[in-house]
Amino acid sequence: GAGVSQSPRYKVAKRGQDVALRCDPISGHVSLFWYQQALGQGPEFLTYFQNEAQLDKSGLPSDRFFAERPEGSVSTLKIQRTQQEDSAVYLCASSLEGTGGYGYTFGSGTRLTVV
Amino acid sequence: AQSVSQHNHHVILSEAASLELGCNYSYGGTVNLFWYVQYPGQHLQLLLKYFSGDPLVKGIKGFEAEFIKSKFSFNLRKPSVQWSDTAEYFCAVIYLDSNYQLIWGAGTKLIIKP
């Protein structure tokens, strides 16, 4: 597609509920990144895929967070047993080549609110 | 540690005023530099980027930025702001000798009074 698409745009979850956030990157983009953006802060790195391989998941805050990109295109970020501190905007970005040296194209984000 | 600092968290200006938003990054070798803008309710958009060459780069919507290597700075400027420039502005850096991650500043919220 023309841009990076994320769904849902907004998600309200009860504490303890599992959620799944979807990212459709730009077709042909090799790299895919997930970021978490808390209110009033810059995005924080969560995880990085190059095609279907998850090369870095060091930014995932706990083992309740899991990401996959099984066919090297669409990616899903799953959060199990959501907690209030998980409330944030989750951003997906894709890049044409492996190092991101040409910048990233961001999706609109999914705003997750845990109540 | 690699880090990016944006000097002002909030800036309020009147229309037609000149703008300069500061960005400094910590030393870490060769860098690519970016400014992103996030309009209210919208996604992050690239304003401009510097990879090499002329240290004065021009971006969209009349914005420009100057890379000063000796000061580790990449300040964003616009000669005359408009109400529609109200947004949050983020400076970001990729350290090419290190990894692929964008290191982000905390952002500057810019409010333009009509």
Side-chain angles (χ1 to χ4, degrees):
Chain A
V4 177
S5 176
Q6 289 188 248
S7 60
R9 187 74 191 270
Y10 302 93
K11 176 69 179 177
V12 178
K14 290 185 177 179
R15 193 170 55 180
Q17 185 179 351
D18 297 349
V19 298
L21 312 179
R22 178 187 168 104
C23 172
D24 272 282
I26 292 175
S27 178
H29 274 198
V30 168
S31 301
L32 185 145
F33 302 79
W34 283 99
Y35 289 87
Q36 181 190 59
Q37 186 177 15
L39 194 63
Q41 297 182 25
E44 296 279 345
F45 170 80
L46 291 177
T47 187
Y48 161 61
F49 289 87
Q50 191 165 338
N51 296 308
E52 69 278 3
Q54 189 175 20
L55 299 187
D56 188 342
K57 54 182 181 179
S58 62
L60 296 176
S62 78
D63 59 8
R64 295 185 295 103
F65 286 71
F66 172 77
E68 60 183 5
R69 193 186 186 198
E71 296 178 0
S73 55
V74 172
S75 178
T76 304
L77 176 67
K78 297 179 180 177
I79 309 173
Q80 296 176 321
R81 305 181 303 281
T82 52
Q83 316 255 328
Q84 284 190 319
E85 62 262 29
D86 300 335
S87 296
V89 175
Y90 290 86
L91 296 169
C92 177
S94 69
S95 179
L96 183 61
E97 47 82 41
T99 65
Y102 290 89
Y104 303 56
T105 302
F106 282 84
S108 299
T110 294
R111 183 178 296 279
L112 173 65
T113 304
V114 181
V115 297
Chain B
Q2 296 162 348
S3 65
V4 178
S5 298
Q6 291 184 239
H7 309 148
N8 306 99
H9 204 52
H10 290 90
V11 173
I12 302 174
L13 295 172
S14 297
E15 275 196 311
S18 65
L19 170 71
E20 181 159 3
L21 301 182
C23 173
N24 285 87
Y25 61 94
S26 60
Y27 172 76
T30 307
V31 293
N32 286 349
L33 299 154
F34 306 84
W35 274 98
Y36 280 85
V37 60
Q38 190 169 29
Y39 297 103
Q42 296 189 28
H43 58 87
L44 284 160
Q45 300 174 40
L46 181 67
L47 261 184
L48 46 79
K49 59 189 178 186
Y50 172 79
F51 291 158
S52 63
D54 187 344
L56 184 62
V57 292
K58 295 193 184 299
I60 60 172
K61 306 186 181 186
F63 286 90
E64 64 179 33
E66 184 174 13
F67 171 50
I68 303 180
K69 190 175 180 180
S70 61
K71 295 184 178 179
F72 302 99
S73 71
F74 190 57
N75 292 355
L76 181 71
R77 299 196 293 248
K78 186 170 183 178
S80 176
V81 294
Q82 302 171 303
W83 176 78
S84 57
D85 293 326
T86 294
E88 189 157 16
Y89 294 80
F90 293 93
C91 181
V93 178
I94 291 177
Y95 291 84
L96 296 179
D97 301 331
S98 176
N99 57 40
Y100 42 80
Q101 291 181 30
L102 270 172
I103 309 296
W104 295 85
T108 298
K109 286 188 173 64
L110 175 66
I111 298 172
I112 306 300
K113 297 183 295 185

